[in-house]
């Protein structure tokens, strides 16, 4: 199996321990995205819904760097620091998938990096 690192310059530059995404040829594994503004080097404050909208745009950018779109996502995992945000995050998330949304898990966690309220990782397919 070959693999290629995917890099979208407009999304936060990852630390040395991980890549934005890995392309295996048929699958793209995107690392968890936070609502982080790479241009201004600042985490986005705001509600979980606002953070979700920002990070979904980051996911779109990483997928575009791999030549894919949101419609190519087959699985997502959402991490929430407060499960009472589920409904508002779900509304924003659902707005990105008109038809055939990907399989998904949502997991409550005690904390996320940079004080984020939401993190989303995705797997996309070229098929």
């Amino acid at each position: 199996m070959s693999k290629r690192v995917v890099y979208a310059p407009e999304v936060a530059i990852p630390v040395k321990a991980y890549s934005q995404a890995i392309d295996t040829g048929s699958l793209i594994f995107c690392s968890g995205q936070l609502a982080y503004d790479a241009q201004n080097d600042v985490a986005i404050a705001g509600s979980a819904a606002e953070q979700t909208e920002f990070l979904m745009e980051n996911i779109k950018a990483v997928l575009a760097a791999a030549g894919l779109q949101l419609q190519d996502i087959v699985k997502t995992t959402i991490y929430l620091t407060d499960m009472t945000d589920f409904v508002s995050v779900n509304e924003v998330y659902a707005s990105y998938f008109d038809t055939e949304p990907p399989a998904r898990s949502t997991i409550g966690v005690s904390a996320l990096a940079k004080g984020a309220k939401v993190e989303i990782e995705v797997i996309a397919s070229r098929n």
Side-chain angles (χ1 to χ4, degrees), residues 5-16 18-21 31-44 54-55 57-59 61-62 113-114:
V5 172
V6 176
Y7 175 70
E10 65 270 31
V11 176
I13 298 168
V15 295
K16 294 181 181 181
Y18 74 96
S19 300
Q20 288 176 346
S31 295
Q33 287 294 313
L34 302 174
Y36 190 80
D37 180 353
Q39 307 308 317
N40 296 305
D41 192 28
V42 63
I44 301 301
F54 195 94
L55 72 85
E57 294 301 319
N58 283 352
I59 290 170
V62 172
K114 303 204 180 275

Side-chain angles (χ1 to χ4, degrees), residues 22-104:
I22 295 294
D23 182 347
T24 68
S26 60
L27 294 173
I28 296 7
F29 295 87
C30 296
S31 295
Q33 287 294 313
L34 302 174
Y36 190 80
D37 180 353
Q39 307 308 317
N40 296 305
D41 192 28
V42 63
I44 301 301
S47 70
E50 292 167 329
Q51 289 186 15
T52 300
E53 188 161 352
F54 195 94
L55 72 85
M56 288 299 292
E57 294 301 319
N58 283 352
I59 290 170
K60 281 173 56 174
V62 172
L63 289 174
L68 298 176
Q69 302 173 2
L70 291 175
Q71 294 80 2
D72 298 311
I73 296 173
V74 295
K75 173 69 168 80
T76 63
T77 304
I78 300 175
Y79 302 93
L80 296 175
T81 59
D82 185 344
M83 289 302 283
T84 63
D85 290 326
F86 180 88
V87 172
S88 64
V89 167
N90 191 56
E91 286 177 9
V92 174
Y93 173 88
S95 73
Y96 284 86
F97 301 100
D98 294 334
T99 60
E100 299 181 352
R104 182 179 96 186

